Amino acid sequence: QVQVEESGPGLVKPSETLSLICSVSGGSVSDNSYYWSWIRQPPGKGLEWLGYIHHSGYSNYSPSLKSRVTMSVDTSKNQVSLKLISVTAADTAVYHCAREGGCSRGICYSSSWFDPWGQGTLVTVSS
Amino acid sequence: QSVLTQPPSVSGAPGQRVNISCTGSTSNIGAGYDVHWYRHLPGTAPKLLMYGNINRPSGVPDRFSGSKSGTSASLAITGLQGEDEADYYCQSYDSSLRGDVFGTGTKVTVL
């Protein structure tokens, strides 16, 4: 069964770049059927979708973060990465990685869902 | 900023039924995009509870059921148990934002 696990620095200074890695086990990031997404949850707030990347290089980012976010896939390491530039305190959050797909049992749906998710990693932006 | 609205909290006694609503608009749920539900305990990985409006992944008990109508969707939990205490989120796609969107989240409390 596929598992994902996030890793990276827990503290980033304002104006610097947040970089996280999502390690995938039990499956391949090269599976055509899936995208790999990043979702975050600021303290005391709800979930926010940041965007997704496909191993082909196709990506789709949240409009609110599009100018600052980059995602990539490393098929040799079976990993997905997230980079967020020019961070501020508002970027403090638990960052989750998740596999995104929209088909099950031969049926494809009009929107895709996230399964599985990683436990998440807390990133604090502070000097 | 979430575009899908959920009640901040719902509660019920053990054994009772609770419903969690998820209200969207004509650019997401009302446009026909399917709705999915997650259960989240802080500090853990969110878990898929329902996909495609009404479908339970294997391992999810049939105490959980989903529905969708118009610009809204709903998750029902029957036979409420203490282990159901968690945060629940709906999720769909928004054509105006051209991306996935989550609900505001609902905290379920078992009295």
Side-chain angles (χ1 to χ4, degrees):
Chain A
Q1 106 194 21
V2 175
Q3 293 183 310
V4 298
E5 183 176 11
E6 308 86 351
S7 59
L11 182 64
V12 181
K13 289 182 170 55
S15 80
E16 295 191 345
T17 297
L18 179 159
S19 296
L20 295 175
I21 294 290
C22 172
S23 298
V24 179
S25 58
S28 173
V29 295
S30 298
D31 190 330
N32 272 324
S33 301
Y34 299 104
Y35 296 83
W36 300 92
S37 290
W38 289 92
I39 299 136
R40 69 181 181 182
Q41 183 175 30
K45 296 188 178 181
L47 299 170
E48 178 187 13
W49 175 75
L50 305 184
Y52 63 62
I53 181 80
H54 189 261
H55 76 88
S56 64
Y58 178 77
S59 62
N60 184 26
Y61 302 139
S62 168
S64 64
L65 292 168
K66 200 167 189 174
S67 62
R68 297 196 294 130
V69 69
T70 304
M71 299 177 189
S72 60
V73 174
D74 186 334
T75 55
S76 66
K77 295 181 178 179
N78 217 32
Q79 293 177 338
V80 181
S81 69
L82 167 71
K83 290 190 188 301
L84 183 65
I85 67 171
S86 305
V87 297
T88 69
D91 295 310
T92 293
V94 173
Y95 286 76
H96 295 275
C97 171
R99 187 181 69 173
E100 180 170 357
C103 301
S104 178
R105 299 174 184 173
I107 301 173
C108 291
Y109 295 81
S110 59
S111 66
S112 51
W113 57 87
F114 307 102
D115 182 49
W117 295 60
Q119 183 172 331
T121 186
L122 174 63
V123 179
T124 301
V125 179
S126 174
S127 56
Chain B
Q1 185 174 352
S2 301
V3 299
L4 303 179
T5 302
Q6 300 177 231
S9 64
V10 298
S11 62
Q16 285 190 332
R17 170 187 173 123
V18 296
N19 290 292
I20 303 170
S21 60
C22 174
T23 303
S25 67
T26 54
S27 63
N28 41 69
I29 300 175
Y33 292 107
D34 293 307
V35 178
H36 321 293
W37 292 88
Y38 305 88
R39 167 182 164 167
H40 186 211
L41 284 166
T44 69
K47 176 185 175 181
L48 178 68
L49 211 55
M50 197 77 55
Y51 67 91
N53 309 312
I54 61 171
N55 303 288
R56 288 186 308 274
S58 60
V60 174
D62 58 7
R63 301 187 296 106
F64 295 87
S65 62
S67 64
K68 177 191 159 189
S69 178
T71 58
S72 295
S74 183
L75 177 74
I77 309 174
T78 58
L80 201 59
Q81 300 179 4
E83 65 193 44
D84 297 330
E85 282 205 338
D87 297 322
Y88 292 80
Y89 292 88
C90 60
Q91 175 251 318
S92 186
Y93 177 85
D94 190 281
S95 57
S96 295
L97 297 174
R98 297 185 183 180
D100 299 311
V101 290
F102 284 97
T104 49
T106 298
K107 183 175 183 62
V108 170
T109 301
V110 180
L111 301 173

